[in-house]
Amino acid sequence: MKALFVAAAILAAVAGQALAADKIKVGFMSTLSGPGGALGIDMRDGFLLAVKSNGDKLGGLSAEVSVVDDQQNPDVGRQAVERFVKRDRVDVITGMVFSNVLLPVMPAILESDTFYLSTNTGPESLAGEKCHPRFFGVAWQNEDIPGAMGEVLNQRGLKNVYLIAPNYPGGRETLNGFKRFYKGKIAEETYTKLGQLDYAAEIAAMRAAKPDAVFFFLPGGMGINFIKQYVAAGVNKEIPLFTPGFSADEDTIRAVGEPMVGLFNSSHWAHDLDNAANRKFVTAFQKEYGRLPTMYAQQAWDVALVLDAAIRAVNGKIDDKQAFQKAIETARIDSPRGNFRFNTNHMPIQDYYLREVVKDAGGKITNRTVGRVFSNHQDAFVGKCKMG
Amino acid sequence: MSRRDRVTGSLHIALRPRLALAGFAALALLPTIVQALDQPFYIVLATRILIFALIATSLNLLIGFAGMVSFGHAAFVGTGAYAVAVLARAGVESAWIVWAAAAAAGSALALIIGAISLRTRGVYFIMITLAFAQMAYYLVLSLKALGSDDGLTLPHRVTLGFGLRLNDDATLYYSVLLLSAGGLLLLRRLLNARLGRALQGIRDNETRMEAIGFPVYRLKLLAFVLAGAAGGLGGGLLATLNGLVSPTLFHWTQSGLLMVMVILGGAGHLLGGAFGAAVILLSEEIFAEWTIHWPFGVGIVLLAVVLFAPSGLAGLLRRARP
Amino acid sequence: MPLTLIVEQLLNGLQLGLMLFLLAAGLTLVFGIMDMINLAHGSLYMIGAYLAASAIAASGSFLVGVAVAIAGTAAIAVLLEMAILRRLYRRSHLAQVLATFALILIANEAVRMVWGSQPILLNMPPSLSGPIDIGGFTYPAYRLVVIAAGLAIAVLLYLLVARTKIGMWVRAGAADREMANVMGVNTTWLFTCVFAAGAALCAVAGALLGPLLAVQVGMGENILILAFVVIVIGGIGSIRGALIGALLVGFVDTAGRAFLPQLFRSVFPEAVAAETGPAVAAVLIYVLMAAVLYWRPSGLFPTRA
């Protein structure tokens, strides 16, 4: 009796192993709560929609997606990664929003030889010296979008700029990216606490400094509060605001509304880009969730597209990691952003656009594409990466 | 103070040898069982539980046995953790050195904080320990040399020497098991000795002890420093396990969590800290799978324990035994 | 440094201080009269903010929202006091800390279950969302209203405590609970009233600060710590102490964040100043509290002998 039981158990285990090859396990860890939660939720929605639209498959394999909240906390993130890698044995991890979570947990992911496709942050170290074969940045490199804004301010002849960002790797890299292209004078460079909500002191200081413009990077709830308080203090009439697309997307617009009209921002994508893949994406997203997608949702959608293309290229044999990696590197997708391919350091080569927040004909406040800033832009760190 | 809150327990801490040995053997066999089931994740979980058992036990010494309600214990844990992180990043390879440094750092901080805080009593002691922990939190948060908001990552796990690599989860588990068990035995020794009796006397009636002529301040400070050392060691082990440290280790909610572990497990009972740590961490692991609202359950249980079973789990078990 | 900047920062400090006072007043009374450490005080502030946000969204009126928040939070507080907190008055401080810590966990999850994990929107009334021009000096209108409301409530509380019979009972209870009981004050009813009043103040603070900060789960914990620092500095049980302490903390914190980094930069080399300035600013109020505890262990305005 006991022998039969043991035999059945072994059989079940073996059978379980055999079945494993027919599906792909994805660990989706993102910030789903707190002031940064809106970004993670949009990413999750974009990714899950892509998988659903594909018949719950990626590249022909049945997709098993496990969604976890990192609470924007590296300790929580680390433990979740341990579960993904040691307990669930996932094939791919993706979904993180913030670099202060991604950077500390990445060593654990890469040591376990698990693939990571970034739906958002592309830190400098992972684009340059510490580039890794299993790491792919599918969204952008951290300096690219703010760099585009630096170029825009040059073109507008604004000579004196006040900078503000939160004190974490993403914040510092964003301002570095801006400074790499901007040729004018920096009046002041202020770093606030990550998660800070009251900017009265900083806004008073900006008013006193009298710069030509303020360039701010405050993703999620931080940006919402900053813009509202900036307008409430009346400073926006004297000193215009400029920002990378992160603080001017649909989530912020929904929260702030009218005061944002006229805000210029840069991005690798806009919902009004004129191509078939984009129309399909935006329509599907609106139909499923009843709101316009943000760039975050679009980035996650593309991760699913990349996985789909790569898995198809290896005919579902994702256990051969070398081949799978090659397939991801050469993946050709129909991206809503248009032009997209991977550089040798696994960061994107793509175009960057200038957007303006406007009130459209129907009275709705939203982004409109007003120009292209960079074409086929490569990030600044590809030279430091020793791969390829 | 109501009758319920006088912490009782026999003054002599008994250790039932057969039960203790059985428990230790079970824990020692855990990695083998887990490997057979091919579930390596659970060694990591067990290691984490053992580390928190050590930390909670050190806090139990203060709260349960010495009557000092310290609301800033997280500061010692964080200090020990950062000590290990800084040394590891500076290239120190030996686990012995970094862990000893962690304990030393914890005890040094405890000496400073204790020297000032122990001049106050009651609720003011609670508040001032909290204040110091918050100071440590904001200090660590602001200094770029300590990674500020991002914290620090450890480049690799330190080694034990003799060819034992701590990269292997099982080896780390055994080291932690030995350290935690050692800590518990040491505590028992301490409590059964004159120091322990004196501390419990101070817990029960400080004024009387002072009147009799005990050097109360010095004894409390000694207990505080010992607890700080053990807390620091625990923090260092956490840093080794996780491979990263962040300012959240210092946050007052972490101190609160440690106090919850002690009370749930049973303050004033030898294994109180260990029980509490196991219950909290296992609940988190199990219930987090079912619902993200699992802290609600913890809150209800904690409330029930405080209101109806103030001696915690250990107290319930003791009452159950005839 | 321009005068307008200094005035603006002073007003910011005043605004923060007055809001802290609203929280500290309730906390210090509960601590002083019932001898209870109530960590869940911050949760009442959170509940007040959430109720205000929902009520404003439903009714369209800011004032209605605030009123609903006050009524709702006070009601919840009364239920909480009668069902649970009453049992803690005679228990040790440790038991109170743990029980109210448990309440924080429960409250946070309950709010999450009802309103979700995302922060919810609480906007200033549109009429107040712009700046006010006072002789060339501009300041957000809403913050001025918050300051005015804080001052009005402070005056009201003073009148209540110093000039009415209930206030006399409260002061008596804070000075010597047993004696007050013996003298015929209905302490049970008084305690419930004090607790409810403290909760109402929390709700006002939550509703007023909601548009400036964010209405999110866990918002109570951050401000709770500051409130405790305030009452320890001011003296447990003293409303006057809570006001002075709150203003002190509000100014020190704001001035620290605003001026200290610059001050350090003019004295120390840039590299040192860039770090130590913000570090010291953050730690300043705790150093203040530790110093007060060391030299005046009962606070600046102790109520008990």
Side-chain angles (χ1 to χ4, degrees):
Chain A
M1 195 58 218
K2 202 177 188 186
L4 205 64
F5 185 74
V6 172
I10 296 178
L11 208 63
V14 170
Q17 283 293 82
L19 279 169
D22 284 346
K23 63 178 170 190
I24 174 165
K25 286 199 264 193
V26 178
F28 193 94
M29 175 167 81
S30 195
T31 303
L32 301 173
S33 55
L39 284 59
I41 289 182
D42 236 48
M43 274 183 208
R44 177 201 64 193
D45 289 350
F47 188 80
L48 291 179
L49 181 62
V51 172
K52 182 175 164 193
S53 311
N54 217 19
D56 287 328
K57 289 195 174 48
L58 284 170
L61 291 182
S62 168
E64 192 179 287
V65 183
S66 174
V67 178
V68 162
D69 182 6
D70 64 22
Q71 299 171 32
Q72 209 174 333
N73 184 331
D75 293 312
V76 176
R78 190 61 154 72
Q79 291 182 48
V81 164
E82 292 264 4
R83 284 187 205 101
F84 277 158
V85 162
K86 294 197 174 141
R87 189 189 62 181
D88 306 331
R89 311 259 170 73
V90 298
D91 304 299
V92 176
I93 302 182
T94 184
M96 284 188 264
V97 178
F98 291 95
S99 50
N100 74 312
V101 179
L102 185 134
L103 284 172
V105 308
M106 200 49 71
I109 297 179
L110 297 175
E111 262 161 30
S112 66
D113 207 28
T114 310
F115 285 92
Y116 186 81
L117 276 70
S118 180
T119 46
N120 199 48
T121 185
E124 162 187 339
S125 55
L126 286 162
E129 301 144 1
K130 298 218 183 94
C131 65
H132 194 282
R134 306 284 189 245
F135 177 90
F136 288 84
V138 182
W140 23 258
Q141 200 278 319
N142 288 354
E143 289 204 5
D144 293 341
I145 292 182
M149 220 51 215
E151 180 64 27
V152 167
L153 262 70
N154 284 344
Q155 291 168 1
R156 282 167 190 262
L158 293 160
K159 303 233 174 359
N160 189 2
V161 169
Y162 197 112
L163 306 177
I164 182 171
N167 193 12
Y168 78 115
R172 296 187 285 271
E173 291 187 33
T174 300
L175 294 188
N176 285 343
F178 177 85
K179 288 187 293 184
R180 194 182 287 273
F181 282 88
Y182 179 65
K183 298 192 183 57
K185 186 162 110 66
I186 309 280
E188 183 72 56
E189 195 172 331
T190 300
Y191 289 100
T192 56
K193 192 168 166 321
L194 191 63
Q196 178 177 320
L197 295 166
D198 190 349
Y199 294 96
E202 288 80 10
I203 294 173
M206 285 170 193
R207 196 207 298 270
K210 296 199 201 328
D212 291 335
V214 165
F215 176 76
F216 75 96
F217 169 63
L218 293 163
M222 298 183 272
I224 293 174
N225 273 39
F226 175 76
I227 299 176
K228 285 204 281 189
Q229 290 165 19
Y230 195 82
V231 171
V235 190
N236 60 325
K237 301 202 192 88
E238 313 157 15
I239 310 170
L241 285 176
F242 293 86
T243 188
F246 315 116
S247 288
D249 218 313
E250 293 299 317
D251 57 315
T252 313
I253 293 176
R254 262 196 299 276
V256 180
E258 185 90 30
M260 278 181 77
V261 173
L263 183 62
F264 285 98
N265 64 95
S266 55
S267 173
H268 68 299
W269 166 88
H271 69 78
D272 59 351
L273 284 181
D274 194 11
N275 66 67
N278 195 25
R279 281 191 287 275
K280 172 175 169 217
F281 164 60
V282 175
T283 320
F285 197 90
Q286 267 193 299
K287 183 151 170 252
E288 178 84 9
Y289 300 111
R291 64 181 196 268
L292 277 174
T294 61
M295 55 202 283
Y296 305 106
Q298 186 274 325
Q299 288 151 201
W301 173 275
D302 273 1
V303 166
L305 291 187
V306 166
L307 284 173
D308 184 61
I311 297 173
R312 215 182 288 278
V314 291
N315 283 321
K317 296 201 183 40
I318 54 177
D319 291 324
D320 180 354
K321 298 205 175 179
Q322 263 318 98
F324 191 33
Q325 180 185 319
K326 198 98 210 308
I328 300 178
E329 283 170 356
T330 51
R332 280 284 179 271
I333 58 171
D334 229 349
S335 169
R337 68 183 96 177
N339 216 350
F340 174 88
R341 66 181 199 281
F342 284 116
N343 205 341
T344 48
N345 62 351
H346 292 182
M347 287 285 146
I349 300 177
Q350 59 191 350
D351 305 338
Y352 291 91
Y353 302 94
L354 180 63
R355 311 189 300 191
E356 184 187 357
V357 178
V358 296
K359 206 178 207 174
D360 71 10
K364 189 165 149 169
I365 301 176
T366 186
N367 268 307
R368 185 183 60 196
T369 312
V370 292
R372 193 194 313 247
V373 186
F374 292 145
S375 290
N376 284 318
H377 182 79
Q378 297 190 35
D379 68 272
F381 303 99
V382 60
K384 293 204 185 141
C385 171
K386 294 191 181 47
M387 292 195 300
Chain B
M1 183 186 304
S2 91
R3 194 173 38 85
R4 269 192 235 160
D5 291 319
R6 219 165 289 139
V7 181
T8 49
S10 83
L11 230 36
H12 178 84
I13 315 289
L15 192 68
R16 293 148 126 251
R18 257 180 289 174
L19 211 57
L21 226 54
F24 187 78
L27 285 173
L29 281 174
L30 192 66
T32 333
I33 303 173
V34 152
Q35 241 136 18
L37 292 173
D38 196 24
Q39 295 279 23
F41 170 69
Y42 291 100
I43 302 187
V44 176
L45 179 62
T47 315
R48 164 172 270 118
I49 293 179
L50 285 173
I51 295 177
F52 273 98
L54 175 64
I55 299 174
T57 303
S58 69
L59 185 59
N60 194 8
L61 168 64
L62 292 180
I63 295 183
F65 291 102
M68 296 152 61
V69 180
S70 163
F71 207 155
H73 209 63
F76 308 130
V77 177
T79 305
Y82 267 79
V84 167
V86 166
L87 287 174
R89 283 166 77 93
V92 179
E93 293 266 341
S94 162
W96 304 110
I97 299 183
V98 299
W99 289 346
S107 53
L109 187 68
L111 186 61
I112 302 173
I113 295 183
I116 306 180
S117 312
L118 285 168
R119 297 196 183 280
T120 63
R121 283 215 213 156
V123 65
Y124 297 106
F125 177 73
I126 303 180
M127 288 293 122
I128 203 172
T129 50
L130 175 61
F132 277 116
Q134 281 298 94
M135 275 191 242
Y137 171 67
Y138 280 112
L139 215 67
V140 168
L141 199 59
S142 321
L143 289 175
K144 211 190 272 183
L146 293 177
S148 53
D149 244 312
D150 315 323
L152 298 169
T153 46
L154 280 72
H156 50 247
R157 284 207 185 145
V158 290
T159 56
L160 277 176
F162 314 119
L164 289 169
R165 316 233 23 243
L166 286 173
N167 275 350
D168 176 31
D169 287 334
T171 318
L172 181 60
Y173 172 82
Y174 283 122
S175 318
V176 168
L177 177 60
L178 287 171
L179 284 168
S180 298
L184 270 170
L185 284 172
L186 207 71
L187 179 64
R188 176 173 167 267
R189 251 323 190 76
L190 199 136
L191 289 169
N192 285 337
R194 289 211 319 177
L195 174 61
R197 313 291 179 109
L199 285 175
Q200 289 176 83
I202 294 175
R203 173 195 71 198
D204 291 335
N205 196 326
E206 188 165 330
T207 329
R208 188 195 304 161
M209 294 297 280
E210 209 153 22
I212 298 179
F214 277 88
V216 169
Y217 175 80
R218 244 186 287 160
L219 287 173
K220 282 166 102 172
L221 187 57
L222 180 58
F224 206 71
V225 169
L226 286 172
L233 175 62
L237 292 172
L238 263 184
T240 309
L241 176 67
N242 287 339
L244 68 94
V245 297
S246 78
T248 28
L249 282 168
F250 286 86
H251 202 246
W252 69 276
T253 43
Q254 289 292 104
S255 292
L257 191 66
L258 292 173
M259 293 167 81
V260 169
M261 286 182 190
V262 171
I263 291 299
L264 266 186
H269 295 91
L270 180 65
L271 289 172
F275 276 163
V279 167
I280 290 285
L281 290 175
L282 281 174
S283 312
E284 178 177 357
E285 194 62 34
I286 298 175
F287 298 128
E289 288 294 297
W290 296 350
T291 165
I292 59 166
H293 299 301
W294 63 271
F296 189 88
V298 172
I300 300 269
V301 171
L302 177 61
L303 197 58
V305 166
V306 173
L307 288 177
F308 305 120
S311 336
L313 278 168
L316 286 175
L317 281 176
R318 186 165 293 195
R319 252 184 272 164
R321 246 182 269 148
Chain C
M1 191 160 299
L3 184 65
T4 45
L5 180 61
I6 298 183
V7 173
E8 192 165 353
Q9 302 292 26
L10 279 176
L11 284 175
N12 292 338
L14 183 62
Q15 181 233 299
L16 175 61
L18 285 170
M19 288 301 102
L20 277 178
F21 167 65
L22 289 184
L23 281 158
L27 196 63
T28 202
L29 282 181
V30 165
F31 209 157
I33 300 180
M34 288 103 95
D35 196 23
M36 184 170 81
I37 304 182
N38 178 20
L39 292 183
H41 202 69
S43 305
L44 292 170
Y45 160 79
M46 170 180 73
I47 292 174
Y50 269 92
L51 287 176
S54 294
I56 294 173
S59 68
S61 153
F62 195 80
L63 285 171
V64 169
V66 176
V68 169
I70 295 178
T73 313
I76 293 177
V78 167
L79 283 169
L80 210 61
E81 199 267 346
M82 297 203 300
I84 298 176
L85 295 172
R86 214 170 262 194
R87 302 168 198 251
L88 295 171
Y89 294 152
R90 298 210 173 279
R91 301 287 299 277
S92 70
H93 287 307
L94 173 63
Q96 292 167 357
V97 163
L98 289 165
T100 51
F101 188 83
L103 286 176
I104 294 181
L105 295 176
I106 296 174
N108 278 344
E109 289 312 309
V111 165
R112 217 191 287 260
M113 288 191 249
V114 174
W115 279 282
S117 299
Q118 285 264 273
I120 63 174
L121 234 42
L122 175 52
N123 280 326
M124 325 176 190
S127 50
L128 292 174
S129 58
I132 276 197
D133 207 327
I134 319 171
F137 169 70
T138 32
Y139 194 71
Y142 184 72
R143 288 183 193 261
L144 277 176
V145 169
V146 169
I147 291 176
L151 285 170
I153 295 180
V155 169
L156 220 77
L157 263 178
Y158 166 70
L159 288 175
L160 198 71
V161 169
R163 298 286 162 89
T164 66
K165 207 178 208 181
I166 295 187
M168 183 184 66
W169 291 338
V170 166
R171 276 179 290 135
D176 193 330
R177 180 191 357 174
E178 317 259 301
M179 192 54 115
N181 209 352
V182 164
M183 298 293 262
V185 178
N186 182 347
T187 44
T188 316
W189 175 85
L190 184 68
F191 288 2
T192 312
C193 276
V194 167
F195 197 75
L201 290 172
C202 283
V204 173
L208 288 178
L209 280 178
L212 293 172
L213 305 175
V215 180
Q216 58 189 359
V217 171
M219 66 192 279
E221 280 75 280
N222 301 331
I223 210 161
L224 179 73
I225 281 276
L226 287 181
F228 270 109
V229 171
V230 165
I231 68 175
V232 166
I233 291 179
I236 296 177
S238 160
I239 299 243
R240 187 180 3 162
L243 182 61
I244 305 288
L247 290 176
L248 203 61
V249 170
F251 282 125
V252 166
D253 188 60
T254 307
R257 280 193 303 130
F259 300 126
L260 218 54
Q262 287 202 325
L263 189 71
F264 272 48
R265 219 175 290 174
S266 61
V267 179
F268 299 117
E270 172 69 32
V272 177
E275 283 193 31
T276 47
V280 173
V283 166
L284 216 49
I285 25 175
Y286 296 99
V287 173
L288 187 63
M289 167 161 136
V292 169
L293 272 179
Y294 194 72
W295 277 291
R296 294 273 227 118
S298 307
L300 295 174
F301 296 93
T303 50
R304 295 184 232 175

